Amino acid sequence: MVREDGKRNFALRDSDGSESSVFSGSTPRQAALKAARRIDDVGESEAAATRYEIQLREKGTDKLHIYEAWAWQSDSPDDKPDWMPGEITEANVAKQGIEHLDEP
């Protein structure tokens, strides 16, 4: 379902089917990137990062968006604001497909 501001809500599904968090975004990829930045096991570089499968159920629909996600630590940019820490978590995702669930 699309909100008034054009964003949609996506629930992060665990392997047992429970939903632990909700991420919003204009596209499923935007929500998946937000979810990927919260991966606990981040790598030292993008190449060394462990890949994980994440599943996002689009609220109000039967669509389950499946992504391969990975995250890594990197140094903050030189022109960073004062509040930003010295290291930041970056992430990337690759869409694996869409499944349709029996229950929305």
Side-chain angles (χ1 to χ4, degrees), residues 3 8-12 19-24 31 34 56-57 59:
R3 301 185 325 201
R8 300 182 291 183
N9 290 321
F10 300 89
L12 180 64
E19 296 176 351
S20 56
S21 302
V22 176
F23 298 93
S24 63
K34 290 178 182 181
L56 296 170
R57 182 181 65 85
K59 296 275 198 156

Side-chain angles (χ1 to χ4, degrees), residues 32-53:
L33 285 168
K34 290 178 182 181
R37 278 192 293 274
R38 288 167 178 75
I39 292 175
D40 290 331
D41 183 22
V42 298
E44 293 182 15
S45 67
E46 184 174 9
T50 305
R51 270 50 173 178
Y52 295 95
E53 180 181 282

